[in-house]
Amino acid sequence: GPLVESGGGLVQPGGSLNLSCTASDFTFSNYYMSWVRQYNGKGLDWVAEIDTRGNNIRYADSAKGRFAISRDNAKMMLYLQMTDLQPEDTAMYYCASSEFRVGVPRTFLQYEYWGPGTQVTVSS
């Protein structure tokens, strides 16, 4: 598909993970990009959003100070650096693209593309 996440795994509380999202077959640099997560099929939990050039970044309160979203338009890549992970961060993490700013999403349908997800499990 157009977006594929990687980098998830099992980490102990307080640990770190770096997620990546590889984009293909669309003009990545024209799209806002977001990270969202979902726990056990429940509602979407928005994590962070970055504008097309990486100049305007917003985070959910739960991510502020711990997570960092970034993008490399030349490589068509999106990243999420996660530190001080806690059990409540356990979820499937998805990258998603949108032509316009979405902010806090209600459903995946607010995005043009999203990936299959990568699982992050925080447990001792």
Side-chain angles (χ1 to χ4, degrees):
L3 295 171
V4 179
E5 304 88 346
S6 61
L10 174 64
V11 63
Q12 292 187 339
S16 300
L17 277 176
N18 294 324
L19 304 185
S20 297
C21 171
T22 303
S24 62
D25 298 328
F26 70 102
T27 309
F28 178 77
S29 58
N30 285 354
Y31 286 77
Y32 285 72
M33 294 299 299
S34 299
W35 285 100
V36 298
R37 62 190 184 184
Q38 190 175 40
Y39 180 71
N40 272 0
K42 296 182 180 178
L44 292 185
D45 185 28
W46 172 68
V47 176
E49 183 176 58
I50 187 168
D51 73 353
T52 57
R53 296 187 179 184
N55 295 330
N56 191 359
I57 292 174
R58 298 187 309 124
Y59 294 100
D61 287 344
S62 59
K64 286 178 183 176
R66 300 188 302 130
F67 295 1
I69 187 173
S70 61
R71 66 189 297 162
D72 185 329
N73 285 345
K75 295 181 179 179
M76 296 180 63
M77 295 289 296
L78 178 73
Y79 305 100
L80 184 68
Q81 294 178 292
M82 304 188 294
T83 63
D84 191 25
L85 284 161
Q86 300 301 318
E88 53 265 33
D89 295 314
T90 295
M92 186 73 80
Y93 283 70
Y94 301 89
C95 60
S97 63
S98 56
E99 288 188 76
F100 307 101
R101 174 182 160 185
V102 171
V104 179
R106 294 184 302 279
T107 80
F108 278 113
L109 297 179
Q110 292 175 257
Y111 299 106
E112 276 75 28
Y113 307 113
W114 58 92
T118 186
Q119 177 67 38
V120 172
T121 301
V122 185
S123 175
S124 55

